[in-house]
Structures are given as C-alpha cells and as structure tokens.
C-alpha cells in the first residue's frame, strides 16, 4: 500500500490543448462580399405613362354654383360625377375627347358631406348634413332611393360583395365613433348592425372587395380593419392573402405613433395597397397583405421650403414671389376644413401614385420612387385638392354623315383619352387635365367654360376676353401677283385693326 501511495501517476497530456496554446485562435474568415442591390426598374414604364394625363396646364374647367368639393369617375359606365358644397350633384359623360354635361341634381338641402361609387361603378351614394342618404344609378343617371337617417352622418362607403342582390352601405356618425351597416334599397332607416370600435367619428372609410374588408380612420390617428359581416379584424386564419395574426404585427399604429391622422384613404385597383394622406403633410403607402408601410412621401411646408434652395430638386423650384404666395395659401388651407378634401389615387396599373400638392398634381413611380411628372405647376391661382382619374376603355371618334374621312385628321381609330378631374381650394370649378394642352386661340372664350350664370367678377373677365377676340394679329391679301401678309398691331391701334 505504501509503495502504491509513493508512486506518481503519469500526467495525461492533451495534444489539442497544447496545440491551441502554441498557435492561438484561428483568424476570423474574411466577410463574404455583399451582393449589390439591384435597382428596381419598372419595365415598359412609358406604356403606363402614355395612359396618364400629361398636360402642363389644365385643358378645360367647368362650373358649379358653389365650391366644388368632390369628384368621382366610373370606368364601367364612362361617367364623371362632381359635387359642390351646396348639395348639388352633376353627371358628365366621357366623350372621345373631354366630357359632356348630362344631368344636374339638387341632391341635398344642406352641405354635401360625402359621395362614393360602388366597386363596379354602377351605383353612387351621397350623404348631406340634411341627414339624407341618396342612391343613384349611374348609367341611367337616375335617383333610385332616398333615406332620412336618424343620426347626423359623416362618411359613406359601399361594402357589399360583387354581384350581391342588394347593395350595403356603411355610414359613420358625425357625433360618435359608430359605423352603421344599412340596406338603402329596403327603404328602412334602421341599421342592420353597428360597429363600435372607434373612439372618435370616422371620417375616412374604404372597402377592399378582394379581401371583403373595410379600413377606416378617425382623428385620433386610429386605423381599423374590419369585416363588414361580423366586424371581426381579418387575419391570415380568416382571410387568404393576409400575413398577420394580430394588430401589433402590423404598422396600423404608425399614425398614432407620429401623432397624426389620416385625411383620406384610397385603395389600389388590385386591392394590394392603400395610401393614406395624413394631417402632418405626409403620404403613407401600406401593403394590405402585411398592413405594413412600404413608402412615405413628405409633402410638408418644410420640405418645399428646403427644396426651393436645393439644386437637386429643380423640378419643384418656383418663382420667388409665386412661392411666397403659394406658401401663404397653403397655410390658410391647412387651417380650414378644406384640408380634409385632399386626395391621392393609384393609376389603373397600380405602378404610379397620383396626388395633389402645393406645386400641382404629382405623378410618382412607386417602383423607382421617382417623381416622373407634375401637372398644372404653371397654374398659379389654384391649389388643387381632390382628384379622380379616368383611364377608361378606348373610344372611337364619331364622324357625322356626309363628312369625308381624312387619314390622320378625322379617321375613326380607337383612342384612349386619360383624364384627371381635379378640384381646387375655394374654387367653384373643377379642372380637366388630359394629354392635350389648352388651345392657344381664345375664340371660344377660353378654356374656362361658363356653364352656370357667372358672378359679376367672372362676367367682367369674360367681357375683357371677348373684346380681345375679334382683333387678328395678321391679315393676308390675295392678289394676282401673289399674297401680301400684313402684320396688325391690335394693342397699339385697336380701332384701325378693327376697321381693317
């Protein structure tokens, strides 16, 4: 035992440990080179752009008796409908070029609050502060039913599925956060069911027919998504195409976080995206599948002031005096109720976002994130607010019987005539932007059509235009020896030119 106790145990050498001590840790491998991001490019962008208005000036404008506040376009029926704050609604039919007046309704005794088309474009609903809801059939431009509501309404939206036997409308209350689902064709003012999610009155609502879900907003900054049948929030379990389970996975709290609220909401024609014009001067684009924000565009006064001195933003530069005047109008507009009339819309291809701003109507490519066109930048007296796009089917030009057809002039080839119908701040006119500029001659009293009895100021302007019209700038005298062209100075000697 003693011997055993006196024996030393041999040391166990660990080769691995020894080698580690000798050479130290291995060097970190060089990081793999990150692949450069591919630049997003929209293929054949020019084709989509050709189907959008491109006029730097509005081609024509038409009158209402009071400030024009709302405009909608129905592709299916080829109608444009406009509404003014005094409750009047006008129907216009799209022609080969431009639009033509069809019918005029005094729809509401008080202010017109909201006007919306159904998803198929065949029905139109309006509400006013006379607590009335009216339903029109667009193709027949006919009033089909009216309901006297038991509450003061604020916003309306169709929320029935395609080819449903009867229409359903969601109407929000002006004095609380309730939204009532109603069937106007039944003639009853009693709601079928009532949504009580919002804490404040709902002023913006849009229905997505692909998801059968509505998105709504109030002034607290809340965004809510709900099914019009059971008022449950759609998730990936209940609706195909959605990728979230609970609201906290989405960006629906984005407006609350930024202490702002949505002014208006528009949904793309494929139901994949929606855009919210916000009170802080920004536009936020969301994807429906994830309800996450994918784009944000800054249209605040600070951005325009910085852009004025930025050489990289030459597209937004304005004359110094014009810029000061526009800033003053913008500040006045943002303090008035008219700020709630601002809109942004997607084009029918869903590749471009079209919206009104301080410098005119902007068209932005959503793929490349670039501003591709500004309509109406030279119009110094208008601050455009609401917008509706008409990109309907191609139409043939009608040639009267007995008129010879000349190729390239009046041949009957089919042509699409994209039009943007735009309303403006404190203007009793709506403006049409198309692919054409206004005609240079003012022989037809210009591009501002007086389809209503004009005010004294408008009449004076029209009279001044009319006196300028007959005086030509030059005259041609045809002789046997050739033509003599005489230049006429109608401003210096109008009487002489008139006698000539």
């Amino acid at each position: 035992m003693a011997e055993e106790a006196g024996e030393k145990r041999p040391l166990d050498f660990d080769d691995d440990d020894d080698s580690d001590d000798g050479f130290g840790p291995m060097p970190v491998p060089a990081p793999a080179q990150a692949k450069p991001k591919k630049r997003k490019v929209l293929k054949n962008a020019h084709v989509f752009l050709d189907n959008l208005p491109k006029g730097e000036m509005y081609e024509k404008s038409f009158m209402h008796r009071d400030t024009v506040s709302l405009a909608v376009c129905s592709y299916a029926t080829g109608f444009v409908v406009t509404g003014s704050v005094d409750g009047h609604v006008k129907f216009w039919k799209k022609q080969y070029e431009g639009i033509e007046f069809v019918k005029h309704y005094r729809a509401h005794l008080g202010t017109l609050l909201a006007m919306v088309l159904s998803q198929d474009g065949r029905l139109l609903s309006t509400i006013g502060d006379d607590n009335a809801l009216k339903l029109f059939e667009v193709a027949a431009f006919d009033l089909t039913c009216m309901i006297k509501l038991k509450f003061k309404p604020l916003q309306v939206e169709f929320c029935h599925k395609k080819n449903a036997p009867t229409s359903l409308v969601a109407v929000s209350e002006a004095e609380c956060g309730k939204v009532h689902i109603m069937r106007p064709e039944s003639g009853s003012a009693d709601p079928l069911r009532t949504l009580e999610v919002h804490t404040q009155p709902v002023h913006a609502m849009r229905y997505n027919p692909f998801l059968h879900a509505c998105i709504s907003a109030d002034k607290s900054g809340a965004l809510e998504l709900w099914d019009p049948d059971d008022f449950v929030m759609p998730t990936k379990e209940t609706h195909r195409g959605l990728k979230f389970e609970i609201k906290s996975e989405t960006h629906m709290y984005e407006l609350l976080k930024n202490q702002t609220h949505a002014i208006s909401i528009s949904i793309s024609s494929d139901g994949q995206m929606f855009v919210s014009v916000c009170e802080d001067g920004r536009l936020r684009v969301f994807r429906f599948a994830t309800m996450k924000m994918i784009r944000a565009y800054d249209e605040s006064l600070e951005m325009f002031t910085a852009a004025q001195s930025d050489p990289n933003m030459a597209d937004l530069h304005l004359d110094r005096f014009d810029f000061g005047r526009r800033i003053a109008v913008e500040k006045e507009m943002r303090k008035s109720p008219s700020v709630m009339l601002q809109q942004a819309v997607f084009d029918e291809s869903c590749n471009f976002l079209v919206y009104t701003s301080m410098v005119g109507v902007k068209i932005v490519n959503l793929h490349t994130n670039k501003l591709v066109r500004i309509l109406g930048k030279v119009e110094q007296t208008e601050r455009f607010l609401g917008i509706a796009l008409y990109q309907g089917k191609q139409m043939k030009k009608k040639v009267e019987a007995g008129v010879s057809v000349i190729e390239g002039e009046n041949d009957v080839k089919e042509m699409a005539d994209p039009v943007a119908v735009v309303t403006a701040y404190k203007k009793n006119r709506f403006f049409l932007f198309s692919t054409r500029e206004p005609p240079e001659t003012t022989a037809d009293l210009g591009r501002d059509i007086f389809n209503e009895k004009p005010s004294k100021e408008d009449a004076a302007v029209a009279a001044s235009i009319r006196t300028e019209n007959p005086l030509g700038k030059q005259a041609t005298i045809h002789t046997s020896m050739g033509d003599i062209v005489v230049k006429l100075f109608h401003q210096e000697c109008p009487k002489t030119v008139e006698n000539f």
Side-chain angles (χ1 to χ4, degrees):
M1 291 291 291
E3 283 180 10
E4 285 178 10
E7 281 181 9
K8 290 184 178 178
R9 286 173 61 196
L11 289 170
D12 293 329
F13 291 104
D14 191 343
D15 293 339
D16 292 340
D17 290 347
D18 190 41
S19 63
D20 282 351
D21 291 342
F23 298 102
M26 290 290 288
V28 179
Q33 270 194 335
K35 288 184 179 177
K37 273 190 175 181
K38 279 188 178 179
R39 284 182 66 188
K40 287 187 177 179
V41 178
L42 175 60
K43 288 184 178 177
N44 302 318
H46 65 281
V47 177
F48 300 118
L49 273 172
D50 285 346
N51 200 27
L52 282 167
K54 59 183 177 187
E56 289 185 6
M57 303 165 74
Y58 67 84
E59 186 191 14
K60 279 189 177 177
S61 74
F62 295 89
M63 290 178 72
H64 271 250
R65 290 175 190 172
D66 208 336
T67 304
V68 182
S69 55
L70 299 162
V72 291
C73 296
S74 167
Y75 293 176
T77 57
F79 274 87
V80 174
V81 189
T82 56
S84 52
V85 292
D86 57 357
H88 290 245
V89 172
K90 290 187 178 184
F91 287 77
W92 311 78
K93 184 76 171 105
K94 184 72 183 71
Q95 301 298 312
Y96 180 74
E97 287 184 356
I99 59 174
E100 191 175 68
F101 173 72
V102 176
K103 200 163 187 181
H104 178 180
Y105 281 98
R106 188 178 181 188
H108 297 277
L109 296 174
T111 305
L112 177 68
L113 297 173
M115 180 169 70
V116 66
L117 280 168
S118 61
Q119 284 66 49
D120 57 7
R122 300 187 186 283
L123 294 173
L124 175 88
S125 180
T126 63
I127 52 170
D129 65 0
D130 57 353
N131 294 4
L133 183 148
K134 307 260 174 116
L135 196 69
F136 296 85
E137 192 177 330
V138 178
F141 38 91
D142 192 20
L143 176 63
T144 56
C145 75
M146 60 178 84
I147 294 175
K148 191 76 174 173
L149 301 170
K150 297 177 180 177
F151 55 89
K152 191 175 179 185
L154 182 61
Q155 186 56 264
V156 64
E157 175 66 312
F158 286 96
C159 57
H160 57 270
K161 290 182 178 177
K162 193 178 179 183
N163 301 325
T166 56
S167 59
L168 291 177
V169 292
V171 186
S172 67
E173 281 197 40
E175 289 161 359
C176 65
K178 292 181 180 177
V179 178
H180 303 286
I181 306 294
M182 310 184 77
R183 185 174 282 124
E185 284 146 331
S186 67
S188 169
D190 298 321
L192 301 175
R193 47 194 175 272
T194 300
L195 171 77
E196 297 186 33
V197 173
H198 288 272
T199 56
Q200 292 191 24
V202 175
H203 62 269
M205 264 191 303
R206 281 290 174 264
Y207 171 70
N208 187 337
F210 297 92
L211 289 175
H212 187 53
C214 285
I215 185 155
S216 54
D218 62 34
K219 284 194 176 179
S220 70
L223 276 179
E224 299 290 347
L225 187 67
W226 42 276
D227 188 306
D229 294 336
D230 53 16
F231 298 140
V232 175
M233 179 177 165
T235 61
K236 65 182 182 183
E237 276 83 18
T238 58
H239 288 64
R240 278 181 61 189
L242 295 181
K243 297 179 181 176
F244 57 88
E245 290 181 352
I246 52 176
K247 195 174 176 181
S248 57
E249 292 179 16
T250 70
H251 287 174
M252 289 169 72
Y253 293 112
E254 180 72 20
L255 306 185
L256 273 168
K257 276 196 296 185
N258 289 288
Q259 297 182 339
T260 184
H261 62 262
I263 287 172
S264 66
I265 296 171
S266 293
I267 296 177
S268 61
S269 58
D270 60 1
Q272 298 291 314
M273 295 178 287
F274 72 92
V275 61
S276 165
V277 180
C278 300
E279 184 266 340
D280 61 355
R282 286 174 169 79
L283 285 86
R284 293 174 170 88
V285 183
F286 294 80
R287 199 178 294 287
F288 253 112
T290 57
M291 288 302 283
K292 290 190 174 178
M293 189 173 75
I294 54 171
R295 291 272 188 272
Y297 299 105
D298 188 359
E299 294 296 321
S300 61
L301 288 172
E302 294 76 21
M303 186 281 294
F304 282 109
T305 308
Q308 190 70 1
S309 54
D310 187 346
N312 295 325
M313 302 176 82
D315 286 345
L316 302 181
H317 289 182
L318 294 163
D319 173 68
R320 192 158 56 91
F321 295 107
D322 184 28
F323 179 73
R325 193 195 54 75
R326 290 197 195 205
I327 285 282
V329 171
E330 188 77 6
K331 286 179 178 174
E332 181 193 333
M333 185 273 293
R334 293 201 176 183
K335 289 176 185 171
S336 75
S338 299
V339 71
M340 303 304 288
L341 301 175
Q342 292 180 90
Q343 281 178 301
V345 293
F346 295 92
D347 77 322
E348 64 178 358
S349 71
C350 307
N351 294 315
F352 294 91
L353 185 65
V354 187
Y355 59 91
T356 55
S357 74
M358 193 181 87
V359 294
V361 180
K362 289 185 174 183
I363 300 178
V364 173
N365 186 328
L366 285 166
H367 289 262
T368 60
N369 227 11
K370 286 185 178 173
L371 176 66
V372 291
R373 197 175 281 171
I374 301 178
L375 313 176
K377 185 183 174 185
V378 295
E379 305 292 352
Q380 299 180 356
T381 55
E382 281 82 27
R383 169 44 167 112
F384 299 118
L385 289 177
I387 184 167
L389 267 185
Y390 182 90
Q391 294 176 278
K393 54 185 180 291
Q394 295 187 338
M395 299 172 74
K396 281 189 176 181
K397 187 175 182 179
K398 291 178 181 174
V399 180
E400 293 176 15
V403 176
S404 59
V405 176
I406 304 166
E407 190 175 346
E409 285 187 27
N410 61 347
D411 48 352
V412 290
K413 67 174 181 179
E414 288 192 346
M415 186 187 79
D417 181 32
V419 165
V421 182
V422 186
T423 65
Y425 177 52
K426 283 186 175 175
K427 296 286 180 182
N428 63 343
R429 292 183 167 275
F430 65 93
F431 305 89
L432 292 187
F433 285 93
S434 67
T435 52
R436 301 172 296 281
E437 297 293 346
E440 291 197 11
T441 173
T442 52
D444 57 350
L445 302 184
R447 55 188 181 154
D448 297 323
I449 309 300
F450 287 93
N451 54 304
E452 292 281 359
K453 189 178 178 183
S455 64
K456 287 182 180 178
E457 295 83 5
D458 290 338
V461 171
S464 66
I465 294 172
R466 197 176 289 114
T467 54
E468 292 169 14
N469 285 337
L471 307 182
K473 293 181 180 177
Q474 66 176 37
T476 306
I477 304 169
H478 301 285
T479 70
S480 56
M481 300 296 288
D483 292 349
I484 303 170
V485 179
V486 182
K487 189 175 181 182
L488 306 175
F489 297 90
H490 60 277
Q491 287 181 332
E492 287 80 357
C493 45
K495 284 287 181 193
T496 311
V497 173
E498 201 172 326
N499 293 335
F500 188 84

